[in-house]
Amino acid sequence: GSVEVLASLNVRTQPRRDSPIIGTLAEGTVVNLNYCTMATDGIWCRASFGTETGWLAKSALRQNEWPIVTYRVTPPAP
């Protein structure tokens, strides 16, 4: 599906926050998502950018006017 980036967003090589950054998307950029998956730190979506493919945190995307994600993943209590 086609979604809009809510804020400046890092594009990563893998679906996790500690993965290397391969680029940044500006707020308002519209991207086409290929696939979304649940990772240890939240939901991530894969998108293509020309010849590159990268991963975006789903919490920073929206479809139409509504946020897709409205929760925050927190680590379990020890």
Side-chain angles (χ1 to χ4, degrees):
S2 194
V3 296
E4 182 181 349
V5 176
L6 292 175
S8 181
L9 179 63
N10 291 327
V11 180
R12 298 187 181 269
T13 59
Q14 297 295 319
R16 59 181 196 266
R17 296 201 188 277
D18 62 350
S19 179
I21 297 169
I22 58 173
T24 303
L25 296 175
E27 178 181 348
T29 301
V30 176
V31 295
N32 291 317
L33 304 179
N34 306 102
Y35 173 78
C36 293
T37 188
M38 176 61 95
T40 56
D41 61 354
I43 299 172
W44 289 79
C45 296
R46 184 178 64 201
S48 297
F49 311 94
T51 60
E52 296 288 329
T53 299
W55 290 89
L56 310 171
K58 193 172 181 185
S59 59
L61 304 172
R62 71 176 170 201
Q63 189 170 22
N64 297 327
E65 295 299 319
W66 299 99
I68 294 174
V69 177
T70 58
Y71 64 90
R72 182 189 312 209
V73 176
T74 56

